[in-house]
Amino acid sequence: MTYSIIVPTFNSANTIQECLHSILNQSCEDLEILISDGASTDATREVVESFNDNRIKFFSEPDKGVYFAMNKAIGRASGKWLLFIGSDDTLYTNKVLEEMKGYLDKTDAGMVYGSVKIVGSAPWAEDGEIYRGETPLTTLLVNNICHQAICYSREVFNSRSSYNTDYPICADYDLNLFCASRYKLEYVPVILSNFKAGGLSSLVDDPVFRKEKWTNIVNYFGEKLFDKSFQPHRKSIRKTIPLFLKKAEFRNALLAMRLYLYYRRKK
């Protein structure tokens, strides 16, 4: 099976129908849909079950947020590629999965991404904007790739296993940084989804992730950080030194110190 499409829901009766229509009407039928529901109290289950399509797998139980829901679905997924979309998002066209499959069948990347069309406005994008195109590592260190634009290889979750639920808003950003450190990332010229702006990830900060972002980058990339593309971030890397020392992670603290001194010499 090519695709496992994972849709976390909670009281999504008003939006899930359009989302599912956009998936089930795809010309590529080599897919499963995993609806990971957080014990909705509205008619979400009834709407999903009204489709009566055996490609849909619905499971519902209380959870602590969207990434908890997605982690549960990852363990149930059987596709080679995992795509995560919100219950108020839709796929861009009825042929987009077929178009994307043409690239996925030929790639050796662990993460393949395109773009999304923004529906509504967010602080970082306008309504109708195609966001954000090719994103080199130098840009990814500052701005995330939209979750709904990405297909992840099953291999990513075999090595990483799940999203870090310590980050209730930015766990996908953390995952993307991890992928960039371990796998080939490939951009393809495909608009994959219509992304509904205005949700938590559009509007709310994640202070825990913001604090730990650069310690994670040092941990993920290690010696690969001895590259000129990271030099503009030397101050961020310097700030990780006391954080590593506080956690008694002396090896990483030493690495961060070496990196900072290396970048200073390269100025």
Side-chain angles (χ1 to χ4, degrees):
M1 181 179 296
T2 301
Y3 294 104
S4 290
I5 302 176
I6 294 172
V7 186
T9 59
F10 181 70
N11 290 345
S12 302
N14 292 333
T15 59
I16 189 64
Q17 186 172 49
E18 185 178 6
C19 175
L20 290 177
H21 273 305
S22 78
I23 302 170
L24 294 172
N25 289 336
Q26 289 292 311
S27 57
C28 174
E29 298 182 350
D30 188 21
L31 60 86
E32 64 178 359
I33 305 168
L34 303 172
I35 309 292
S36 186
D37 183 70
S40 291
T41 56
D42 68 354
T44 298
R45 177 187 290 273
E46 288 77 7
V47 173
V48 172
E49 291 179 348
S50 71
F51 283 87
N52 193 30
D53 191 304
N54 60 14
R55 290 175 293 173
I56 301 175
K57 301 174 182 178
F58 180 87
F59 47 96
S60 181
E61 58 188 14
D63 59 50
K64 297 179 182 179
V66 63
Y67 294 112
F68 288 88
M70 291 194 291
N71 282 344
K72 292 177 185 178
I74 289 167
R76 294 175 162 100
S78 56
K80 295 178 182 176
W81 294 91
L82 279 64
L83 168 62
F84 301 84
I85 67 173
S87 61
D88 55 353
D89 302 319
T90 57
L91 295 181
Y92 188 61
T93 70
N94 290 345
K95 294 185 178 181
V96 70
L97 292 185
E98 182 179 352
E99 183 182 4
M100 195 73 170
K101 188 175 185 297
Y103 294 102
L104 297 178
D105 286 345
K106 295 182 289 187
T107 190
D108 60 351
M111 175 177 149
V112 180
Y113 69 97
S115 300
V116 298
K117 181 179 180 180
I118 304 296
V119 180
S121 293
W124 39 267
E126 297 296 326
D127 182 39
E129 181 179 343
I130 304 302
Y131 186 86
R132 55 174 307 130
E134 188 167 7
T135 305
L137 178 58
T138 51
T139 302
L140 181 60
L141 293 173
V142 180
N143 294 298
N144 195 16
I145 301 168
C146 191
H147 208 185
Q148 291 83 344
I150 302 170
C151 290
Y152 298 95
S153 168
R154 175 79 247 182
E155 181 184 346
V156 168
F157 295 102
N158 290 341
S159 61
R160 162 84 180 218
S161 79
S162 64
Y163 291 94
N164 187 340
T165 54
D166 289 340
Y167 310 137
I169 307 300
C170 293
D172 59 304
Y173 193 0
D174 177 64
L175 175 65
N176 292 341
L177 291 168
F178 170 81
C179 287
S181 73
R182 305 292 176 90
Y183 299 98
K184 175 182 175 183
L185 273 56
E186 181 178 344
Y187 168 72
V188 297
V190 175
I191 302 171
L192 189 53
S193 304
N194 297 300
F195 169 73
K196 184 68 178 295
L200 282 178
S201 61
S202 301
L203 303 172
V204 181
D205 188 23
D206 192 329
V208 178
F209 173 75
R210 179 161 34 86
K211 179 180 178 181
E212 298 181 355
K213 174 183 172 181
W214 279 96
T215 57
N216 290 347
I217 289 172
V218 172
N219 186 40
Y220 295 157
F221 284 87
E223 299 284 336
K224 296 177 185 177
L225 293 171
F226 286 101
D227 182 280
K228 64 180 182 181
S229 62
F230 293 94
Q231 200 270 347
H233 305 288
R234 61 190 182 277
K235 292 182 180 179
S236 294
I237 291 175
R238 184 188 63 187
K239 291 177 182 178
T240 69
I241 297 170
L243 297 175
F244 283 129
L245 291 174
K246 185 176 181 179
K247 295 188 289 186
E249 295 181 13
F250 302 118
R251 186 181 298 237
N252 279 335
L254 178 60
L255 172 60
M257 177 62 77
R258 289 171 53 215
L259 287 164
Y260 179 67
L261 295 175
Y262 170 81
Y263 298 142
R264 285 193 64 181
R265 290 197 299 269
K266 294 293 182 179
K267 286 176 63 177

